[in-house]
Amino acid sequence: MPPLPREGRSTAWIRDRLDALAGGDVDWRSGRALSLAYSAGPEVLALTDEVLARFQSTNALNVAAFPSLRVMQAEIVEMSGELLHLPEDGGGFVTSGGTESILCAVKAARGLARARGNTSPEMVLPTSAHAAFEKAAADYDVRSVRVPVRADFRADPEAMRAALNDRTALVVASAPAYPQGVVDPIAEIAAAAAARGLPMHVDACMGGVTLPMLERLGHAVPPFDFRVAGVTSMSVDLHKYGYTAKGTSVILYRSRELRRHQTFVTDNWLGGLYGSAAILGTRSGGPIAAAWAVMQHLGIDGYLRLTEAARRATEELVAGLRALPEIRLLAEPDTTLVAFACDGMGSDSAIDAFAVGDALWRRGWVCDQQKPPPSLHCTVNAIHAGKIDALLAALRDSLDEVRSTKSEGPGRSYAIVEG
Ligand SMILES: Cc1ncc(COP(=O)(O)O)c(C=O)c1O
């Protein structure tokens, strides 16, 4: 089939073809995806679809033409900032996702380092920090200095402190880190960064909504946000546990001085002054407006309800996993991320986690396959309430199927390059 048809297809043909294509996708709407997709249920999805459609052709490249997007972005930053105790004189931007927010944080830190005369910038981060930091390191020519995590998978503040030097431009920790779902000792790491006058970024892409809600629900949440004096920037993804449309995250800065190093302005072309807050140029207003709408619709009460449901499902999953002798939880989940290996002490021989992941996949359940160590990862969210028994049944079946077999391949990846 040629890539662009000579004659346009009918809308009926397109709908049929889309149905056929989507038939192979994981059924995230009914909670079969324990990765990549989040859902607060049909009502929030319907609102998202309506607002996305209404604003998808608006363009946040120039909010003078679309003042609606100026207001909505400012309010999204304000709502997110309030959750994370951003000081009055702090600020931030709406971005397209966690990776863009992280790119922005690293770019800003590099800019500050340059302004201070540091021309060989390094970033000190635990081995658990998200792969997007590697991308930022490569894109902005900042050397990535990975520091091994402790046995409990949390960052090691002492080892990180020891890795700081005159070239350090940024210190990073996560709340929580994606792979094992644990919150790093933010206060200790921030103190080490502050002692040297260095910026520290807390990647709360996963936990930036969940942790404030867990705290309100009475869970013990360690200090992780701007209430910790040395934290200078944070990323929070609304398209994860904010349950908004894909394409929305927020980057927040404690000070406008640091934020200034993120933005870009030029008039060195024939088109006049061009200003850009983050990485993208044209940005659809659809995800921005949908995020604003969902946040307004859910409010604190809605997020408390969704967080409680996700946390209860997480606890059910953890209890079910503990009952399976082959399964070994990698860490006690601090939020709603669960990682487990299949080499528990109760079994005669270890089972290949990736083979179990493949067997789950064949049963329509998608978990991430990650390493090291080889393990499966579940991003539990509100849509999984009432689905954990079915997931555990599928896991038991999968374990029966692959018991003592070996996986043929290296496992599936959490993110892949298409093509
Ligand atoms: C902790 C953390 N940071 C950053 C990211 C990157 O976010 P995105 O995939 O939206 O770019 C993720 C994604 O799962 C994450 O878990």
Side-chain angles (χ1 to χ4, degrees), residues 38 96-102 128-133 174-179 203-207 235 237 239-240 246 248-249 337 379 414:
Y38 302 73
S96 62
T99 300
E100 188 180 359
S101 291
I102 286 168
S128 55
H130 196 269
F133 288 99
S174 312
Y178 180 80
D203 178 9
C205 283
M206 274 293 175
S235 42
D237 286 359
H239 65 195
K240 293 187 170 80
K246 284 280 181 287
T248 30
S249 171
L337 309 184
T379 304
Y414 147 67

Side-chain angles (χ1 to χ4, degrees), residues 153-317:
F153 292 103
R154 293 179 210 279
D156 181 339
E158 261 321 302
M160 288 185 67
R161 187 198 312 272
L164 305 182
N165 60 40
D166 291 347
R167 296 180 301 279
T168 309
L170 180 65
V171 182
V172 173
S174 312
Y178 180 80
Q180 289 82 30
V182 292
V183 176
D184 289 327
I186 307 289
E188 288 97 315
I189 299 166
R196 280 182 164 264
L198 292 170
M200 164 160 180
H201 182 80
V202 173
D203 178 9
C205 283
M206 274 293 175
V209 177
T210 301
L211 286 167
M213 296 305 145
L214 285 177
E215 190 177 350
R216 283 171 167 83
L217 290 166
H219 291 255
V221 172
F224 75 100
D225 59 20
F226 286 105
R227 285 173 289 181
V228 178
V231 172
T232 55
S233 60
M234 293 190 76
S235 42
V236 49
D237 286 359
L238 302 176
H239 65 195
K240 293 187 170 80
Y241 287 98
Y243 295 99
T244 69
K246 284 280 181 287
T248 30
S249 171
V250 175
I251 173 76
L252 297 169
Y253 294 98
R254 177 182 292 278
S255 76
R256 284 172 196 257
E257 197 227 332
L258 183 55
R259 192 184 78 155
R260 173 171 75 76
H261 293 288
Q262 176 190 315
T263 52
F264 179 78
V265 180
T266 185
D267 62 0
N268 188 20
W269 71 315
L270 301 184
L273 193 67
Y274 177 96
S276 176
I279 311 296
L280 304 184
T282 281
R283 285 186 301 135
S284 168
I288 296 167
W292 179 88
V294 168
M295 292 176 92
Q296 292 290 331
H297 180 64
L298 288 172
I300 298 282
D301 286 346
Y303 282 120
L304 286 174
R305 185 171 40 76
L306 294 166
T307 305
E308 200 167 22
R311 180 65 195 188
R312 204 175 314 119
T314 306
E315 287 168 5
E316 282 171 27
L317 176 60

